[in-house]
Amino acid sequence: MTALGVSKWVLAAGVAAAAANGAIAAEKNPLLARDGLPEKYVKRIEQYQKALDKIDDSEQAKGIYRNSSLWGPNYPKIRVCFFEGSQALRDVVANVAKEWMAENNSIKLDFGKPGKRRTCQPENGKEMQIRITFGQEGYWSQVGQNSVVFAKQEEASLNLGGFMNVAPDQLSDYEIGTIRHEFGHALGIEHEHQNPKGGCDNEYNWQQIYSYLEGPPNSWSKEQIDWNLRQASGEDLQLTKFDKDSVMLYQFPADFYKKGEKSKCFVPQPNSQISEGDRALLAAMYPASESARLEAFEKNKEKFEAIWKKDEDGTKGVMFDAVKAFFGRTGTKDAPAEED
């Protein structure tokens, strides 16, 4: 993916059916896995992207736009809260999500203390970067800073639908993998199957994909399907090689590929573990060195500002100042520690 920047690519698949015991029955249909960002958020982001494209729609600019979703060095820690869910369930989610933290990266997730994980309280005016709900359909997450730019504090930024229907100690490997996947998005990583180095676009049986995903339970429009599956672009991105083991890779049925199971993009089972490639990517996005992380942030800010200044009428066609929204946030640098 990116060495300094963005992710392994955006959005994902739909709503899984519930088994009799309330568990997500993804194993009965491997397509119904992972995430599907609600359409209202997709529209907000698309409106913003279209406005930026009017200023500069080059491949290089698209890479710069994408990098802006990364959490800047003004976020030495990322605060997480829950709208609902038992403390036992919150502890499970926190412990799994923290697997992304490692010595070679500067990611710090702050959930509050064990057994007393933080409850979202938007009325107190304190910014929470990742806001979790279990009450909406499907699995999805905003990508990186999009959670504070395109979603309000009273809106969830990450959803794990149906998890409250299962005892916390009975979550399946698939559901645990889904936590890892969604937090990958929340940290700024996108989908591996959209990695240009993978070439999955040319592997897909697009007629079959549109036919299936336009029907229930997904009921996606062509735009939503393209948003989730089409290859990402942006020549400014320094991409890593395609990682077939990535937890950010979709698992699709064999008939979604022209070559079926022989496709290089096909995996027989969902990837539930964070791969070595995933870890290397996160370390490149958020280097352990504070100075290296700051340098990468400042370089991308400078490039973004140069694009922003190209709009002569000053309106940008956007409802907010994007430079300030992505690069001028207060962050959590001065916030007291609350984590365990």
Side-chain angles (χ1 to χ4, degrees), residues 107-121:
I107 285 301
K108 181 71 173 177
L109 292 169
D110 177 358
F111 289 83
K113 297 179 180 179
K116 296 181 180 179
R117 301 300 184 181
R118 190 181 293 108
T119 297
C120 298
Q121 296 177 299

Side-chain angles (χ1 to χ4, degrees), residues 195-259:
N195 181 349
K197 291 273 181 90
C200 295
D201 254 28
N202 296 325
E203 299 276 318
Y204 288 140
N205 177 347
W206 284 105
Q207 183 176 354
Q208 170 68 5
I209 287 173
Y210 286 125
S211 176
Y212 190 104
L213 292 178
E214 285 174 348
N218 296 78
S219 300
W220 283 358
S221 66
K222 181 178 182 298
E223 290 72 21
Q224 285 177 287
I225 295 169
D226 289 344
W227 180 275
N228 281 311
L229 272 71
R230 288 289 182 181
Q231 179 175 296
S233 60
E235 65 180 26
D236 186 65
L237 298 176
Q238 299 182 23
L239 304 173
T240 61
K241 66 180 182 180
F242 178 67
D243 181 9
K244 197 168 184 176
D245 296 324
S246 172
V247 76
M248 306 308 293
L249 179 67
Y250 270 13
Q251 184 216 1
F252 290 129
D255 63 358
F256 269 42
Y257 302 94
K258 296 174 185 175
K259 297 180 181 179

Side-chain angles (χ1 to χ4, degrees), residues 43-215:
K43 288 182 176 179
R44 293 177 195 177
I45 298 169
E46 284 185 330
Q47 180 183 18
Y48 162 77
Q49 185 63 60
K50 288 177 181 177
L52 289 183
D53 286 346
K54 290 180 181 178
I55 302 173
D56 188 337
D57 65 352
S58 68
E59 291 298 289
Q60 183 179 29
K62 289 177 181 178
I64 295 168
Y65 301 153
R66 234 178 238 109
N67 285 345
S68 66
S69 68
L70 295 184
W71 297 103
N74 50 327
Y75 286 102
K77 64 179 179 181
I78 299 170
R79 287 193 297 249
V80 188
C81 66
F82 297 84
F83 280 104
E84 67 276 291
S86 68
Q87 285 294 337
L89 178 56
R90 296 181 187 192
D91 277 340
V92 170
V93 172
N95 292 336
V96 173
K98 285 190 173 188
E99 293 176 11
W100 282 103
M101 297 163 53
E103 291 184 0
N104 68 347
N105 69 55
S106 52
I107 285 301
K108 181 71 173 177
L109 292 169
D110 177 358
F111 289 83
K113 297 179 180 179
K116 296 181 180 179
R117 301 300 184 181
R118 190 181 293 108
T119 297
C120 298
Q121 296 177 299
E123 67 277 3
N124 70 11
K126 191 174 186 179
E127 184 185 86
M128 295 292 129
Q129 288 75 53
I130 301 174
R131 303 172 301 283
I132 300 172
T133 184
F134 303 103
Q136 299 184 37
E137 290 186 330
Y139 314 137
W140 50 263
S141 175
Q142 294 280 359
V143 174
Q145 281 198 103
N146 288 355
S147 70
V148 291
V149 175
F150 295 107
K152 301 174 183 177
Q153 286 294 300
E154 60 266 29
E155 295 177 315
S157 67
L158 189 155
N159 180 63
L160 298 169
F163 275 47
M164 289 198 300
N165 297 329
V166 187
D169 62 352
Q170 296 298 313
L171 290 173
S172 67
D173 288 344
Y174 172 79
E175 288 159 330
I176 294 297
T178 297
I179 296 172
R180 296 180 181 116
H181 180 102
E182 297 309 333
F183 268 88
H185 284 317
L187 296 176
I189 303 176
E190 300 177 39
H191 286 142
E192 186 63 17
H193 58 269
Q194 292 177 288
N195 181 349
K197 291 273 181 90
C200 295
D201 254 28
N202 296 325
E203 299 276 318
Y204 288 140
N205 177 347
W206 284 105
Q207 183 176 354
Q208 170 68 5
I209 287 173
Y210 286 125
S211 176
Y212 190 104
L213 292 178
E214 285 174 348

